[in-house]
């Protein structure tokens, strides 16, 4: 049986780091689902499409493959603030979400590592992975933190990567993204009813990882 773990929550709450820690510890594959929306947003930008052009976004989403998504991830704009903003705009279109759902769900049927080796479990990270993508996941986490703490983390990440950043702008973008992600009509970001919620404002990533492992170990005993 494939073990499915979902980690949802707002931008820069620590989902990615937690997912990588858990994937290393348990030797499970990892699917960062924000990538599918980042790929569509970036492709729109590269094709010179207006982000309000829902038909073009849908076509791009329908034709997106796992391989092309990973190619696009090499582009410096994929992880930039602009990339996050564009992803959040196209992700609000219900048809785009529907077109990208199967690709995300299929991964759990035969999860693989980057080199193609099969894995016994999968860790999803995103906004709706415990509610929409894998409502039957074995363990669900929802990771959050104050907007200020998350903006500070994102700001430092940009600087570490040698990218230009302004804290106030990053904070405004974090808040704008939260607003869009939480209030869109389709699959708004919210914890699943059976999710375990961690607020990482005052917890470091090792403490969060430890707590998450306790939950997973307990689940595996049963
Ligand atoms: O997690 P990341 O910052 O890469 O996500 C980029 C954007 O993609 C988010 O702001 C959100 O709008 C969208 N997203 C989503 N559902 C997911 C993952 C990401 O709507 N499962």
């Amino acid at each position: 049986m494939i073990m499915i773990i979902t980690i949802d929550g707002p931008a820069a709450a620590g989902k990615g780091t937690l997912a990588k820690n858990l994937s290393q510890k348990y030797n499970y594959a990892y699917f960062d689902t924000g990538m599918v929306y980042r790929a569509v947003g970036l492709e729109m930008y590269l094709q010179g499409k207006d982000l309000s052009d829902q038909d073009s976004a849908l076509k791009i989403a329908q034709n997106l493959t796992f391989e092309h998504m990973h190619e696009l991830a090499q582009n410096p704009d994929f992880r930039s603030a602009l990339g996050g903003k564009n992803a959040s705009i196209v992700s609000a279109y219900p048809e785009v979400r529907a077109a990208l759902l199967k690709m995300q769900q299929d991964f759990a049927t035969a999860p693989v590592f980057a080199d193609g080796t099969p894995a016994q479990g999968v860790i999803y990270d995103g906004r709706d992975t415990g509610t929409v993508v894998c409502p039957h996941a074995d363990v669900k986490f929802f990771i959050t933190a104050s907007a200020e703490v998350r903006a500070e983390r994102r700001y430092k990440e940009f600087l570490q990567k040698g990218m230009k950043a302004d804290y106030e702008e990053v904070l405004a973008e974090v808040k704008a993204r939260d607003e869009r992600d939480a209030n869109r009509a389709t699959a708004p970001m919210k914890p699943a009813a059976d999710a375990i919620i961690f607020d990482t404002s005052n917890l470091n990533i090792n403490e969060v990882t430890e707590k998450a492992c306790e939950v997973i170990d307990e689940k595996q005993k049963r």
Side-chain angles (χ1 to χ4, degrees):
M1 259 257 300
I2 305 280
M3 174 91 173
I4 302 177
I5 299 169
T6 58
I7 307 175
D8 291 308
K15 301 185 303 289
T17 314
L18 174 62
K20 280 177 200 143
N21 287 352
L22 295 180
S23 128
Q24 262 178 9
K25 173 165 164 104
Y26 294 98
N27 206 25
Y28 290 163
Y30 169 41
F31 193 158
D32 165 9
T33 63
M35 287 181 77
V36 299
Y37 300 102
R38 284 179 182 266
V40 174
L42 180 58
E43 194 56 51
M44 290 283 281
Y45 173 75
L46 295 175
Q47 293 185 17
K49 304 284 185 199
D50 195 294
L51 287 166
S52 63
D53 177 356
Q54 298 197 28
D55 289 340
S56 295
L58 176 59
K59 254 186 225 134
I60 291 171
Q62 284 168 334
N63 291 315
L64 186 70
T65 60
F66 214 72
E67 292 68 33
H68 188 48
M69 179 177 85
H70 282 282
E71 274 163 27
L72 287 167
Q74 304 305 315
N75 187 307
D77 269 325
F78 193 81
R79 292 275 165 209
S80 70
L82 179 70
K85 181 179 172 190
N86 292 352
S88 134
I89 293 172
V90 296
S91 78
Y93 302 146
E95 291 85 1
V96 167
R97 299 196 73 85
L100 296 167
L101 189 57
K102 190 171 179 303
M103 178 178 169
Q104 296 173 76
Q105 290 176 328
D106 281 353
F107 191 76
T109 60
V112 285
F113 293 103
D115 66 358
T117 321
Q120 288 308 305
V122 56
I123 318 231
Y124 281 94
D125 122 25
R127 303 291 185 286
D128 64 342
T129 64
T131 50
V132 177
V133 179
C134 293
H136 304 299
D138 299 285
V139 181
K140 300 178 186 178
F141 296 111
F142 190 88
I143 312 290
T144 187
S146 72
E148 287 72 19
V149 166
R150 290 184 287 119
E152 179 79 32
R153 290 181 190 154
R154 225 351 96 88
Y155 169 70
K156 285 184 181 155
E157 255 172 50
F158 285 140
L159 294 188
Q160 270 168 9
K161 286 182 188 161
M163 294 158 109
K164 271 200 208 144
D166 172 89
Y167 172 76
E168 292 302 329
E169 269 177 33
V170 176
L171 178 60
E173 186 48 42
V174 160
K175 287 184 175 169
R177 256 218 279 169
D178 284 359
E179 173 76 18
R180 268 195 301 272
D181 291 351
N183 295 320
R184 64 179 173 231
T186 308
M189 175 182 65
K190 61 167 194 236
D194 50 350
I196 291 147
I197 302 175
F198 294 135
D199 186 326
T200 67
S201 304
N202 300 308
L203 284 178
N204 69 38
I205 195 61
N206 292 336
E207 292 167 319
V208 178
T209 304
E210 232 169 77
K211 283 173 182 283
C213 289
E214 280 169 22
V215 176
I216 297 167
D217 293 345
E218 191 54 39
K219 179 83 192 177
Q220 285 183 330
K221 271 191 225 151
R222 282 192 245 139

